[in-house]
Amino acid sequence: MEKLTTIREQLEEHLRKHGMTINRFADLSGVNSGTLSNILNGNRPISMQQLDRITSGMGLPDGYFYDLYIDECIFHATPDWRRLGPFLLRCAELDKLDCLDRAIRMTMDNVAYAPMLFDMAETLFQEGKNEAAAILYQCVAESEKFQHSERLALCQYRLFMLSLSEDQEANLQAAVSFEPYIDRLDEGYQLDAYVKLINVNLSLNRWNKVKNLAEKMLQQAMVLYKYNKSSSPTKTKEHKKPLVFYILYAYLSIENYYSEEMDFEKALHYVSLYHEPDWIIEKNEEEREILEQFKEWAVANRYLYRLMAGDVDVLPEYVDYVAERESEIFTAVCNIMIVANLHKLDVDHILDRFGNYLTYKEQKYHIAKASNQVTLSRFTKLLSELGIYYLNSSRFEKGIEYILESLKSCIAINSSNGMLRCMGIFEQFRHLATDEAQRQYKNLVSEVQKLNDKKIGLSISYL
């Protein structure tokens, strides 16, 4: 039997097989009988609404004819946005992303569609249909002729945001791909883009990049803040947060760089810049809340740098301070374990007190939710620091257990540096590991090898 290759042929066969008249099918489907007759005679293109009604009238699942519709009404016909637009939205609604991608790529020679595809991507992005939006952004970016256009930059920014995940290697690639476009973004998006880039690089421990991005954000935010104070409010751009947030966050980020460099004098200098800034005048309620949050961070970080520098007597004050501020406890415990291992401190009593905070969970502050990438990175580091702490105090079984948990977490987020660190520590104490721990380690190493094979592209045998 000859294969039925068009929607019209399949509709004709359905009517013949069921002995159904056009009028009867019109009643079932809700499509006008005259319209159906014109469609069957090839005198009228099928609209999206008509296609869905015909599909339903034939008792077929939603989207059944979409592949054929692409060939008949998009590829072999002059594309018409009145048909194409609703079709793309319906594909996104039904999660038929392969059809969405095919249809777009067949029409991208017509650059006139780029603005409409971009607007549709923005709509889908706002509705949380991220995969469909990403396909549209990618196609618009590829077709954009004006390489310095704001639309291209915004497409790249959306793609960057949508591609962020728990995978650190993928996040690195996303950050590297997006960064060249940040200066081309519209002013209203630029500062938030800097914050997101800083957070990704912070989670990857790319401290030089953190400092570089923070300095650029600081310069831009300062210029805008001074301009806004001397301009009419109607002439200024809206930002997601008040400008003071970006300035203070830049100080905090640069401080983190100097902290990692163990230059506590410079780190404390930047703490002083966001502790109680006196250049902010006529504060509104949102700005006051931001200032209060940064003040809390400043006090906590002053305690931390005294600890890091060897003033261990301040530890009880630090613990009591964060204990009254639940949103600060997780970060403080991470820092305390680093200090404990650095100065060989006994912090069992602190671990007992904050035992509920030794598990991964989303971190929220008064003014925002912490970056998921940063939280995951900190949690993985916390597990390894706990392992080192227990190994240093000769509690080998517990220490090795935490090192294996850290290795498992490193594999989950694809952190190469973290995996190497954990494997190095385990090998150092392998002779003290139980048979069960060694079995777990062997299985985890196999997972590491699989990840490495994916990066290489293929496994090479030397035998």
Side-chain angles (χ1 to χ4, degrees):
M1 181 178 176
E2 185 180 349
K3 184 178 179 182
L4 301 176
T5 58
T6 69
I7 299 171
R8 291 175 180 84
E9 287 174 349
Q10 295 200 41
L11 176 55
E12 286 174 346
E13 173 62 17
H14 178 82
L15 296 179
R16 185 196 64 75
K17 184 178 178 181
H18 292 85
M20 194 179 297
T21 65
I22 290 177
N23 287 334
R24 174 61 181 148
F25 188 77
D27 291 338
L28 281 174
S29 63
V31 180
N32 179 274
S33 59
T35 300
L36 281 171
S37 181
N38 283 326
I39 288 172
L40 288 169
N41 291 327
N43 298 325
R44 180 182 183 127
I46 307 172
S47 73
M48 212 34 246
Q49 184 184 65
Q50 290 162 0
L51 178 66
D52 282 341
R53 288 182 175 179
I54 289 170
T55 304
S56 176
M58 292 173 67
L60 297 171
D62 290 342
Y64 181 85
F65 287 123
Y66 282 12
D67 279 311
L68 286 175
Y69 189 77
I70 293 171
D71 293 329
E72 293 179 34
C73 299
I74 296 175
F75 183 66
H76 290 297
T78 302
D80 183 334
W81 184 255
R82 287 174 298 177
R83 289 197 302 275
L84 179 61
F87 177 72
L88 297 179
L89 286 174
R90 189 70 172 131
C91 286
E93 184 181 333
L94 295 178
D95 206 30
K96 294 184 74 68
L97 302 183
D98 54 340
C99 291
L100 179 73
D101 189 46
R102 274 188 67 213
I104 295 169
R105 294 191 181 281
M106 284 183 178
T107 60
M108 284 316 295
D109 286 341
N110 188 343
V111 295
Y113 285 153
M116 292 175 279
L117 290 170
F118 175 78
D119 290 341
M120 182 178 290
E122 288 285 270
T123 298
L124 294 174
F125 178 77
Q126 297 300 330
E127 292 175 355
K129 296 183 175 69
N130 293 341
E131 290 183 79
I135 292 171
L136 288 164
Y137 285 129
Q138 186 65 48
C139 285
V140 175
E142 289 173 5
S143 70
E144 186 62 65
K145 286 188 174 182
F146 304 103
Q147 291 300 302
H148 290 274
S149 74
E150 288 181 0
R151 186 167 61 219
L152 172 62
L154 186 53
C155 282
Q156 295 293 350
Y157 178 42
R158 297 297 198 207
L159 288 168
F160 166 66
M161 293 169 64
L162 292 170
S163 63
L164 291 180
S165 66
E166 295 182 359
D167 187 322
Q168 288 196 347
E169 290 286 335
N171 291 344
L172 174 59
Q173 293 303 315
V176 170
S177 296
F178 166 62
E179 189 179 340
Y181 296 93
I182 193 168
D183 292 334
R184 307 176 201 175
L185 275 175
D186 179 86
E187 180 188 299
Y189 294 102
Q190 214 168 71
L191 293 175
D192 282 300
Y194 270 116
V195 170
K196 287 182 173 63
L197 265 182
I198 287 169
N199 287 339
V200 169
N201 283 285
L202 194 153
S203 71
L204 296 167
N205 298 319
R206 301 179 78 211
W207 298 106
N208 287 330
K209 182 59 69 175
V210 167
K211 179 172 179 285
N212 176 261
L213 291 167
E215 287 172 343
K216 288 181 178 179
M217 181 172 75
L218 175 62
Q219 181 181 19
Q220 183 175 340
M222 273 293 197
V223 168
L224 290 172
Y225 182 79
K226 291 174 182 177
Y227 173 77
N228 285 7
K229 288 300 178 184
S230 61
S231 303
S232 166
T234 58
K235 296 181 181 179
T236 60
K237 291 268 187 177
E238 286 291 328
H239 296 87
K240 195 171 182 181
K241 295 181 183 296
L243 288 169
V244 296
F245 168 82
Y246 304 104
I247 295 169
L248 301 184
Y249 197 73
Y251 290 146
L252 177 64
S253 301
I254 298 170
E255 171 222 315
N256 284 334
Y257 165 81
Y258 285 113
S259 169
E260 289 297 316
E261 292 289 301
M262 304 294 280
D263 189 339
F264 302 127
E265 184 177 345
K266 284 187 178 177
L268 285 167
H269 166 68
Y270 280 95
V271 170
S272 69
L273 293 179
Y274 67 77
H275 182 204
E276 288 184 321
D278 56 8
W279 46 268
I280 303 174
I281 55 176
E282 299 179 4
K283 311 174 193 69
N284 59 37
E285 185 59 36
E286 189 176 8
E287 287 176 330
R288 278 192 285 270
E289 192 174 356
I290 289 169
L291 290 172
E292 188 59 35
Q293 177 68 86
F294 276 91
K295 184 176 181 180
E296 283 188 9
W297 286 338
V299 173
N301 286 339
R302 281 204 170 104
Y303 281 127
L304 174 62
Y305 296 137
R306 287 173 65 184
L307 281 168
M308 296 286 285
D311 184 5
V312 297
D313 292 338
V314 80
L315 180 58
E317 292 179 53
Y318 181 39
V319 170
D320 288 341
Y321 180 78
V322 299
E324 297 177 1
R325 296 161 178 82
E326 187 174 8
S327 62
E328 305 298 326
I329 294 175
F330 171 75
T331 301
V333 172
C334 295
N335 293 330
I336 287 168
M337 293 316 303
I338 294 171
V339 171
N341 290 331
L342 182 65
H343 297 296
K344 302 296 186 289
L345 304 179
D346 182 344
V347 293
D348 281 4
H349 60 294
I350 297 174
L351 294 176
D352 289 339
R353 182 175 182 179
F354 296 139
N356 292 335
Y357 297 88
L358 302 181
T359 57
Y360 173 77
K361 56 185 168 183
E362 185 179 79
Q363 299 299 308
K364 293 182 180 179
Y365 300 110
H366 300 310
I367 59 173
K369 180 177 80 70
S371 160
N372 186 50
Q373 289 76 34
V374 172
T375 302
L376 280 167
S377 180
R378 280 179 177 159
F379 177 66
T380 300
K381 181 78 181 296
L382 171 62
L383 291 173
S384 65
E385 293 295 335
L386 285 166
I388 293 168
Y389 174 74
Y390 287 116
L391 290 171
N392 284 341
S393 58
S394 300
R395 287 172 281 183
F396 301 114
E397 186 172 347
K398 196 167 188 177
I400 288 171
E401 180 183 336
Y402 272 112
I403 294 299
L404 292 175
E405 283 298 312
S406 183
L407 178 55
K408 188 186 300 182
S409 183
C410 289
I411 292 169
I413 66 173
N414 200 4
S415 170
S416 299
N417 290 336
M419 286 184 264
L420 285 172
R421 184 174 189 237
C422 290
M423 290 167 71
I425 295 169
F426 186 89
E427 292 296 344
Q428 186 180 348
F429 292 90
R430 177 192 279 272
H431 62 289
L432 297 169
T434 64
D435 290 343
E436 174 59 20
Q438 297 210 38
R439 185 191 65 77
Q440 289 181 36
Y441 177 69
K442 183 178 179 181
N443 291 337
L444 290 172
V445 169
S446 295
E447 293 298 315
V448 174
Q449 290 172 332
K450 289 177 185 176
L451 284 175
N452 190 54
D453 288 345
K454 287 182 182 178
K455 294 174 190 175
I456 294 172
L458 54 93
S459 299
I460 300 173
S461 173
Y462 295 95
L463 296 179

